[in-house]
Amino acid sequence: MRIRYEKKQVNLNLYLGLLWLVNGIVPAVRNEDIGLFDHFWFLLSGIYLIIYFYQKKEKYLTLENGIIKQNWPFGKKMKLKEIKIIKHFAEKYILKSELKKMKINIGLIETESLSELKAELKKLDVEWN
């Protein structure tokens, strides 16, 4: 099962990437002296556009073979059977095992996918706080 990002979140990264790109292009088109700070807009734009394309391609979470995995660089993964406690606090699920802790920002999850995630987590025999 793949848990998708909220479309508003993904599109926000696209809009910000395009905005920063325009901020970088406008001074270049006007033939103004382009300083070091003006190159910052291109860098910022590139970062946001990379995040956009990454979020479009990859999903926020993957639940496969009894493992929940965050799909971003340095994302955590945890075996579902090792989860002991699930806390719902401040728009986050905090999954705890004896050795690991994983935070899931539910504000980033598409509504349909969030209900699928909740259903999967409810199947686990764990303590909810």
Side-chain angles (χ1 to χ4, degrees):
M1 173 188 319
R2 298 181 70 128
I3 307 299
R4 295 180 297 276
Y5 282 98
E6 177 69 43
K7 288 180 183 170
K8 287 189 272 185
Q9 173 66 34
V10 175
N11 290 336
L12 178 64
N13 289 325
L14 173 64
Y15 300 145
L16 288 174
L18 294 175
L19 176 69
W20 303 142
L21 183 63
V22 168
N23 274 346
I25 290 175
V26 169
V29 170
R30 289 186 182 172
N31 292 327
E32 296 176 6
D33 289 333
I34 298 176
L36 184 61
F37 183 72
D38 294 321
H39 293 290
F40 172 73
W41 297 118
F42 292 110
L43 175 67
L44 195 59
S45 170
I47 290 169
Y48 273 94
L49 291 174
I50 287 170
I51 291 170
Y52 166 75
F53 287 114
Y54 185 81
Q55 287 180 345
K56 282 293 270 189
K57 180 181 175 270
E58 291 293 328
K59 305 306 176 207
Y60 182 54
L61 295 171
T62 305
L63 282 99
E64 291 179 337
N65 303 324
I67 295 175
I68 185 168
K69 179 181 183 280
Q70 295 172 326
N71 294 319
W72 48 273
F74 312 110
K76 296 180 181 180
K77 65 174 145 176
M78 183 181 284
K79 292 181 181 177
L80 293 174
K81 65 181 179 183
E82 292 178 355
I83 297 172
K84 303 289 183 200
I85 299 172
I86 299 175
K87 288 185 179 184
H88 182 207
F89 178 74
E91 288 293 312
K92 290 185 180 171
Y93 282 145
I94 302 170
L95 312 178
K96 291 184 178 182
S97 71
E98 295 206 11
L99 301 174
K100 294 182 180 180
K101 182 166 115 174
M102 177 189 287
K103 292 181 182 177
I104 299 172
N105 186 340
I106 59 177
L108 296 178
I109 299 175
E110 186 179 56
T111 308
E112 221 174 89
S113 293
L114 182 58
S115 61
E116 292 174 15
L117 176 63
K118 283 181 185 177
E120 285 297 315
L121 293 177
K122 292 282 185 188
K123 290 179 186 177
L124 301 176
D125 185 29
V126 298
E127 177 185 337
W128 282 76
N129 291 333

